[in-house]
Amino acid sequence: MTDLTATATDIDSRLEGHRVELTGYCYRMLGSAFEAEDAVQDTLVRAWRNIEKFEGRSSLRSWLYRIATNVCLDMLNAGNKRARPVDLSGPTPLAQAALNPLPENTWLEPMPDGRILPSVADPAEAAVARESVRLAFVAALQHLPPKQRAVLILREVLAWKASEVAELLDTSVASVNSALQRARATLTDHQGDAVTADAADPLDEEQRKLLERYVAAFEGYDMKALTALLHEDAVMTMPPFDLWLQGHDDIAGFMTSMGASCEGSRLVATSANGTPAFAHYKPNPDGPGFVPWAVQVIDIQDGAITGMHCFLDTPRWFPLFGLPDHLDADAA
């Protein structure tokens, strides 16, 4: 018999207490917000149905991670592998820019911080958790074979012992250590010299002022002010389109040509993937106020914006982030 109390309410409560951390784990494994939530729901349902088989030899948390890992490995065996536009091609010169959408399951998806980052007291632990859900890191994870991916996340992100991971995966400690070594090498190859974002929890004064200037420049559609905030190699991506732009001239040129309908937009602060983010509302073409256009995930490094990742499928993203589907005309 387990140490769980007999009431269904108590079992539900104990299982639900692990939802956020399990969602973070499954998101890192799968690269999809919705697949991660489906995987966690499947995990909790399986746990509920098999609770009498849980004999207490390991902790409830370890048992749930075992189930979640198996669920994710099954999903990954179907060939799921998600990417960012920058992972699929080189930057597109503005003169050749074209908006070609690719299927939804192509793309690495954004995720609200509150759904994947449990509250922890240790600042160092919190920093590791945030770094490990950055878009660039999760994209790099997608290059790992599924079991290597699980090993690296469990060992490097969640700080499990090699013996604990070996037990979870029904393998040896030597096998776990070997998989971790190979995973680290692959991750280094795919991250390479990529620009990484600075820590942003909480935002320091310089970062807050930078973002305030960004909002003012974007809402004012002041390209001179906006590009002054961008790193010279800043990128702009727009899933589900495969197009991505790099550098001041092409980003500003796109925004004043193909993206000109965004002039007069409003930005509402949120957070995603351990970094600052904004809900982007553009002027309503059919009446007053503003309508959803994108979730922008912002990368910052060394006092400049290095990435503007604009996820345009707002019927999916705005409900996930708990964002309103309309802003009044006087919204600030």
Side-chain angles (χ1 to χ4, degrees):
M1 185 64 184
T2 75
D3 64 342
L4 295 174
T5 57
T7 70
T9 300
D10 288 339
I11 294 171
D12 280 341
S13 177
R14 292 195 65 178
L15 294 178
E16 281 294 325
H18 295 277
R19 180 180 289 274
V20 173
E21 65 170 313
L22 288 172
T23 304
Y25 175 62
C26 293
Y27 173 71
R28 296 177 185 99
M29 287 287 290
L30 301 170
S32 164
F34 297 102
E35 288 181 1
E37 295 203 327
D38 287 346
V40 172
Q41 190 60 32
D42 190 3
T43 296
L44 297 181
V45 169
R46 292 188 191 189
W48 171 265
R49 290 174 177 170
N50 293 282
I51 197 68
E52 292 301 324
K53 298 178 183 178
F54 174 60
E55 299 174 351
R57 288 194 296 266
S58 62
S59 68
L60 176 65
R61 179 174 182 257
S62 297
W63 185 58
L64 290 172
Y65 270 93
R66 175 188 287 268
I67 298 172
T69 300
N70 288 332
V71 170
C72 289
L73 292 178
D74 287 344
M75 295 174 73
L76 290 167
N77 284 337
N80 298 26
K81 180 181 176 182
R82 292 174 177 265
R84 304 167 298 167
V86 298
D87 302 317
L88 301 181
S89 68
T92 305
L94 180 60
Q96 300 172 20
L99 298 178
N100 301 311
L102 294 181
E104 171 273 322
N105 62 4
T106 305
W107 302 118
L108 184 70
E109 297 178 345
M111 192 60 148
D113 284 355
R115 291 179 179 261
I116 51 174
L117 293 174
S119 298
V120 294
D122 183 352
E125 185 180 342
V128 169
R130 299 184 76 84
E131 288 292 336
S132 69
V133 295
R134 299 289 171 86
L135 290 172
F137 183 80
V138 179
L141 288 174
Q142 303 302 299
H143 294 281
L144 300 177
K147 284 194 176 179
Q148 284 186 27
R149 201 179 305 182
V151 167
L152 187 133
I153 296 167
L154 291 166
R155 291 282 285 120
E156 301 276 272
V157 177
L158 300 177
W160 285 39
K161 297 177 182 178
S163 58
E164 294 171 328
V165 178
E167 182 179 356
L168 183 147
L169 294 175
D170 292 324
T171 189
S172 66
V173 169
S175 178
V176 166
N177 289 335
S178 176
L180 179 60
Q181 186 175 12
R182 295 195 304 273
R184 285 171 173 164
T186 301
L187 212 61
T188 298
D189 289 343
H190 285 284
Q191 286 185 302
D193 297 325
V195 174
T196 57
D198 287 342
D201 181 35
L203 293 169
D204 62 30
E205 185 65 20
E206 180 184 4
Q207 291 168 332
R208 284 196 297 271
K209 289 181 178 178
L210 176 66
L211 291 171
E212 288 171 2
R213 293 196 297 271
Y214 173 77
V215 171
F218 196 99
E219 293 187 344
Y221 233 59
D222 182 339
M223 292 301 112
K224 182 177 180 180
L226 180 65
T227 56
L229 306 176
L230 301 180
H231 188 278
E232 61 180 4
D233 293 324
V235 301
M236 181 178 181
T237 68
M238 292 163 281
F241 301 116
D242 58 0
L243 168 74
W244 66 280
L245 304 159
Q246 186 170 40
H248 297 177
D249 292 344
D250 281 355
I251 291 174
F254 179 87
M255 292 180 65
T256 54
S257 56
M258 298 177 74
S261 63
C262 290
E263 184 170 358
S265 292
R266 295 291 181 268
L267 299 181
V268 175
T270 182
S271 61
N273 294 85
T275 62
F278 295 99
H280 174 186
Y281 294 83
K282 65 189 295 187
N284 184 358
D286 301 316
F290 303 86
V291 293
W293 182 247
V295 169
Q296 298 183 4
V297 181
I298 305 297
D299 291 332
I300 299 172
Q301 187 183 49
D302 298 333
I305 291 171
T306 57
M308 302 160 59
H309 306 289
C310 306
F311 295 88
L312 303 181
D313 192 358
T314 55
R316 301 178 78 228
W317 306 129
F318 275 50
L320 181 72
F321 279 77
L323 296 164
D325 60 6
H326 183 269
L327 288 185
D328 293 336
D330 61 352

